[in-house]
Amino acid sequence: MIFYFSCPSVFFVAVLCLSFVTSPSEAKKDILVVGSANVDTFLPVPRMPIEGENLMTSGPPTVDFPGGKGCTQAVAASKLLSKTGGRVKFVCQFGHDSRVLDDALVDVDCSHCGYHKHLTSGRGYVFLTDSGSVSAVVSGGSNIEGWNRWEQIWDARQGKKDVPDEINSMRFDKIFEGIHCVMLQREVPEFVNLLVATEAKKRGILVLQDVGGDDRPISESMLKLCNYLMPNESELNRLVASFEECKDSVEKGSSLTDSVDEVVERAKFLQSRGARNVLVSRGKHGCLLVTEDGNIMHAEGLSVEKVVDETGAGDCFRAAFAAALLEPANSLSDCMLFANAAGACAVTKQGAVPSTPDRDQVDERYRKKEEKVSIPRGGSTEDSRFPFLIGSRLNSMKDRPELWTKSSLTTPKDFVNRQATVPGVTCVDFNYPQHFQGYWTSSEAKEALAETGLVAGAVCLRYPKEFARGAMNHPDPSLRRQAIDLTKEAAEVARVLGCNEVVIWSAYDGYDYPFQVDYDEKWSQLVEAFRECCDAYPDMKFSIEFKPTDENTRFFTVPSTGAALLLVKEVDRSNFGLTLDVGHMLMAGENPGQSIAMAGKHVFGVQLNDGYTRLAAEDGLMFGSVHPSMALEIMFQLKRIGFKGHFYFDTFPQRTDPVKEAEYNVNQVKRFWAAAGNIDKNELQRVVKEHDAIGALRLVEKAIHK
């Protein structure tokens, strides 16, 4: 999604480049994985069997694949840490048939593992359908029976029994030497996890608990020992249902894929019982993190060409999150997106351990995701001459109602129906909350768009009048919090609508008189607010649309392109950028082409119009009607910076047919876009080199009239 702050709007864009950089002082941070190791057999089936049914396989079985949650996470983490010099230690209990596991773990330190000649290793029997979905039955073997010494130590710690000196003398210092993060799963006895987590906490080491494995309750004491609890949705449900007060209200096997609110509610319930940060993996829908300080963060899933086998995807996801978490330059958003990329890589191959990706594969998968996010905002590729979506101000469809006879013009749906008649308009930007509250739900709005053949371009914030003294700048902390929460609500609406942009324009973040506000404080409030929004919705683009002045606010906190760029630099999130409105740039005394060139890659959106600026306000006239040479340079500079957003007409046709005005704007922008491609590059180079004013004017004339 994209959030734009436009001193009329802001948008949240999650086009993040996961080329993590690790300085020498940050390198070699090791991970300890304590858990299971299985030898898996894959049985291809046309579908999952039902109770009491004998089902033939649809092909030959694949036997002796290395797997188990602990083994898979150890191998995955080892591959992902390779570029930082970090290492992985793995502690498990091998059976006598562990040769295939030894081969898989060749790059992992297994010196602290146990070996049992009288026990078989864990065995997984995996049912694999043609669509790649899996279900498994696991025989614990040495994963369950091989921890006797550890159990005696745990019992001794609890004062349950005396143990021999040679057992009691076991020390964990060697195991934890150099370790910064511990990963645990639930395919081993619970006392193992409790013992390791307790020792890790003593040493200030991060503890990440994967909830997958044995379907058993988890104690509040264990929850309190974990820095991150990491279930998938069905595991989250089962875990919550294991608590007495929730067992009747949660269906254990249910999936909450379409209900983010319920996922959040259940994560918060676990926090009420001692959990700190709860990271829920949601398959193709990405992941959701509820942090211990109450923030809710989302990261979208990455599409893949074909799902082959989902067996080890969750393990790769969690290993990648742990690896990214150890690199201090990464935000939590970075870690979540990196984990999604690793999970997406894993489902393209068969087998748990064989599907673990290396760092280059994960980085490449993320780069593909970045391209996928960027291209759709540039619209369809059907017309290579103008590959952009085009939207127009929805409220303009209220003007000149006497020219519209097909229906009433009282609701946003009526405005959408009228806008759908404009030739060349392909998307709609909605205002939030004005276009929703009391009218329809976001799902109903999406259905209406589908009926008219349009798509959503962006969701634009319009803070209500209770924020007249400021939105993110309000002097009352409770109202500032409401403004931030309203911005996040807009991101949720954008998700439902299927767009990835939130444009934020606050009519009220500023002041009217000298000495009225503390400038540094107001600036810091914006920085903190936008960081929170960007981190909570890394799959969204947030963009600030600046405005120099307005009848509501004489001086805005962000009054120019230069100030907006300073804000982008300080917010320091790759999904935070600018929406540049031509009228606002003219009001600020700027040349729009120069402003676009300055902003470069940070331009997430543009709002096109024109004006005389005689009113000391934005005129909202038709694009290119007053400043055609500037209109041409706007298109030229957008071409030059590789603009990938969509075009939006912010015009005010009070005395003009709004449908015809929008159609004129569509033709104008296409005309100037084509003309920008007609500019003689060699001649332009000469003109610029010589500062040739007459040559520049002739260049414009030739391009427009060619």
Side-chain angles (χ1 to χ4, degrees):
M1 301 238 176
I2 299 176
F3 285 100
Y4 294 97
F5 178 102
S6 144
C7 232
S9 8
V10 177
F11 232 91
F12 180 161
V13 181
V15 179
L16 189 69
C17 182
L18 285 180
S19 51
F20 300 120
V21 179
T22 306
S23 69
S25 63
E26 297 167 354
K28 297 186 178 179
K29 291 194 173 180
D30 296 348
I31 291 175
L32 170 65
V33 181
V34 179
S36 60
N38 291 338
V39 180
D40 291 339
T41 296
F42 284 81
L43 301 171
V45 292
R47 55 177 173 76
M48 293 300 170
I50 60 176
E51 185 176 354
E53 178 185 24
N54 292 325
L55 186 67
M56 295 294 292
T57 63
S58 56
T62 304
V63 298
D64 290 347
F65 263 32
K69 298 186 73 63
C71 177
T72 304
Q73 291 179 18
V75 174
S78 176
K79 290 182 177 180
L80 296 172
L81 288 179
S82 60
K83 286 190 175 181
T84 70
R87 294 275 296 167
V88 174
K89 292 182 183 180
F90 182 39
V91 177
C92 74
Q93 302 300 323
F94 290 118
H96 61 74
D97 51 351
S98 63
R99 181 189 55 79
V100 65
L101 297 172
D102 293 337
D103 293 343
L105 292 161
V106 65
D107 293 321
V108 176
D109 179 357
C110 296
S111 60
H112 300 282
C113 292
Y115 290 83
H116 304 272
K117 11 183 190 183
H118 303 299
L119 295 174
T120 60
S121 297
R123 288 272 173 177
Y125 301 92
V126 184
F127 298 100
L128 174 63
T129 69
D130 293 339
S131 65
S133 62
V134 296
S135 186
V137 176
V138 178
S139 172
S142 56
N143 292 324
I144 302 299
E145 305 297 331
W147 300 91
N148 291 341
R149 187 178 184 191
W150 291 60
E151 185 175 16
Q152 289 177 303
I153 296 171
W154 177 248
D155 286 345
R157 299 278 179 90
Q158 305 308 301
K160 293 180 180 179
K161 61 175 75 171
D162 294 328
V163 298
D165 289 342
E166 68 271 15
I167 299 293
N168 198 33
S169 64
M170 178 177 175
R171 295 290 182 265
F172 288 90
D173 289 344
K174 282 289 184 184
I175 294 177
F176 284 100
E177 186 178 356
I179 297 300
H180 290 76
C181 173
V182 172
M183 300 188 68
L184 304 172
Q185 316 82 39
R186 310 193 83 205
E187 290 182 340
V188 296
E190 190 71 356
F191 63 78
V192 176
N193 289 337
L194 282 164
L195 182 56
V196 173
T198 301
E199 291 292 330
K201 188 171 183 179
K202 287 179 184 176
R203 296 165 171 80
I205 296 171
L206 284 172
V207 177
L208 279 60
Q209 174 71 71
D210 181 351
V211 178
D214 190 12
D215 182 10
R216 64 190 181 223
I218 190 169
S219 66
E220 292 186 18
S221 58
M222 185 65 202
L223 289 175
K224 292 174 182 176
L225 290 169
C226 302
N227 297 89
Y228 288 87
L229 190 71
M230 302 192 295
N232 62 28
E233 287 183 298
S234 61
E235 291 161 355
L236 174 69
N237 298 340
R238 292 197 297 270
L239 203 57
V240 171
S242 69
F243 289 87
E244 185 67 26
E245 62 266 47
C246 299
K247 66 180 181 180
D248 295 328
S249 60
V250 179
E251 184 182 349
K252 281 195 175 185
S254 66
S255 172
L256 300 177
T257 300
D258 296 322
S259 180
V260 171
D261 290 342
E262 289 185 339
V263 173
V264 171
E265 179 185 353
R266 293 174 188 187
K268 287 184 174 180
F269 170 79
L270 293 176
Q271 289 178 324
S272 74
R273 306 309 291 263
R276 296 173 62 183
N277 302 285
V278 182
L279 176 62
V280 184
S281 54
R282 309 183 64 230
K284 67 179 181 181
H285 297 277
C287 60
L288 179 150
L289 173 64
V290 182
T291 67
E292 58 186 324
D293 57 3
N295 285 332
I296 301 169
M297 303 173 64
H298 306 257
E300 66 175 332
L302 281 70
S303 62
V304 297
E305 302 75 24
K306 182 182 179 182
V307 176
V308 175
D309 178 8
E310 298 174 346
T311 307
D315 296 322
C316 292
F317 169 90
R318 291 169 183 87
F321 182 80
L325 201 61
L326 294 184
E327 299 180 26
N330 297 334
S331 67
L332 284 175
S333 300
D334 298 340
C335 298
M336 294 165 70
L337 289 164
F338 187 64
N340 282 346
C345 289
V347 301
T348 62
K349 295 181 181 178
Q350 186 177 357
V353 170
S355 68
T356 54
D358 61 30
R359 185 57 174 267
D360 289 338
Q361 289 171 322
V362 177
D363 286 341
E364 177 62 23
R365 176 68 60 174
Y366 189 85
R367 281 191 288 272
K368 288 182 179 178
K369 175 261 176 191
E370 183 181 30
E371 293 166 3
K372 182 176 176 62
V373 170
S374 301
I375 291 170
R377 300 285 28 102
S380 86
T381 57
E382 294 176 3
D383 184 355
S384 60
R385 295 168 298 174
F386 191 79
F388 295 95
L389 293 174
I390 300 178
S392 189
R393 181 170 157 267
L394 192 58
N395 283 345
S396 71
M397 294 297 115
K398 294 187 289 187
D399 293 328
R400 299 296 304 276
E402 74 278 7
L403 301 176
W404 180 253
T405 59
K406 295 184 179 181
S407 65
S408 63
L409 281 175
T410 57
T411 71
K413 185 173 184 178
D414 298 332
F415 308 154
V416 169
N417 289 337
R418 191 180 191 187
Q419 195 164 87
T421 67
V422 180
V425 165
T426 51
C427 69
V428 175
D429 285 13
F430 288 101
N431 291 347
Y432 186 80
Q434 284 85 347
H435 287 155
F436 292 90
Q437 290 182 350
Y439 291 110
W440 53 5
T441 66
S442 48
S443 295
E444 290 169 339
K446 185 176 183 179
E447 290 175 6
L449 290 176
E451 291 171 1
T452 58
L454 300 172
V455 298
V459 175
C460 306
L461 258 295
R462 295 294 183 268
Y463 297 102
K465 289 186 177 179
E466 56 259 41
F467 297 102
R469 295 173 64 205
M472 294 176 176
N473 273 172
H474 202 285
D476 184 342
S478 65
L479 282 170
R480 285 203 303 275
R481 169 48 51 194
Q482 289 180 35
I484 293 170
D485 290 344
L486 194 67
T487 307
K488 292 180 180 179
E489 288 175 18
E492 291 289 349
V493 169
R495 272 200 178 129
V496 174
L497 292 174
C499 60
N500 72 331
E501 301 181 49
V502 176
V503 182
I504 303 164
W505 173 61
S506 170
Y508 309 117
D509 279 334
Y511 60 96
D512 296 326
Y513 296 97
F515 298 102
Q516 187 178 356
V517 301
D518 182 326
Y519 307 129
D520 293 339
E521 178 187 59
K522 296 301 114 179
W523 185 265
S524 296
Q525 286 170 352
L526 289 184
V527 170
E528 292 170 6
F530 286 124
R531 282 178 178 171
E532 179 177 333
C533 291
C534 290
D535 288 343
Y537 291 84
D539 56 325
M540 290 282 165
K541 292 182 178 179
F542 290 89
S543 164
I544 179 169
E545 182 190 343
F546 85 84
K547 192 175 185 180
T549 189
D550 188 90
E551 66 271 18
N552 297 297
T553 305
R554 271 59 177 189
F555 295 93
F556 281 100
T557 306
V558 184
S560 66
T561 299
L565 283 171
L566 286 175
L567 184 65
V568 168
K569 182 178 180 180
E570 195 158 341
V571 171
D572 192 26
R573 298 294 186 270
S574 61
N575 58 323
F576 184 63
L578 277 64
T579 286
L580 295 176
D581 182 297
V582 173
H584 299 174
M585 289 185 281
L586 292 174
M587 290 171 63
E590 299 177 3
N591 171 18
Q594 181 183 7
S595 297
I596 292 168
M598 287 170 53
K601 67 179 182 180
H602 300 298
V603 179
F604 290 170
V606 290
Q607 298 191 355
L608 302 176
N609 49 47
D610 211 334
Y612 299 106
T613 67
R614 295 182 64 191
L615 304 174
E618 60 178 319
D619 294 321
L621 300 179
M622 285 175 267
F623 180 61
S625 59
V626 180
H627 299 98
S629 60
M630 284 185 172
L632 177 64
E633 191 180 30
I634 288 169
M635 293 296 114
F636 178 82
Q637 292 297 341
L638 289 172
K639 276 179 177 283
R640 190 185 65 81
I641 68 171
F643 178 66
K644 291 184 174 66
H646 71 281
F647 289 106
Y648 172 84
F649 302 121
D650 191 13
T651 56
F652 302 88
Q654 288 97 333
R655 295 188 290 182
T656 308
D657 183 333
V659 173
K660 290 183 178 179
E661 178 179 279
E663 183 179 2
Y664 181 86
N665 280 326
V666 170
N667 291 332
Q668 281 285 84
V669 73
K670 289 185 176 181
R671 173 190 171 213
F672 282 108
W673 182 264
N678 294 335
I679 291 176
D680 186 324
K681 304 299 189 300
N682 293 327
E683 178 63 10
L684 175 62
Q685 192 172 26
R686 184 200 65 78
V687 166
V688 169
K689 185 176 181 179
E690 298 177 10
H691 293 195
D692 183 355
I694 300 299
L697 294 174
R698 287 174 176 165
L699 199 70
V700 170
E701 184 177 343
K702 288 180 182 178
I704 291 177
H705 297 293
K706 186 173 181 180

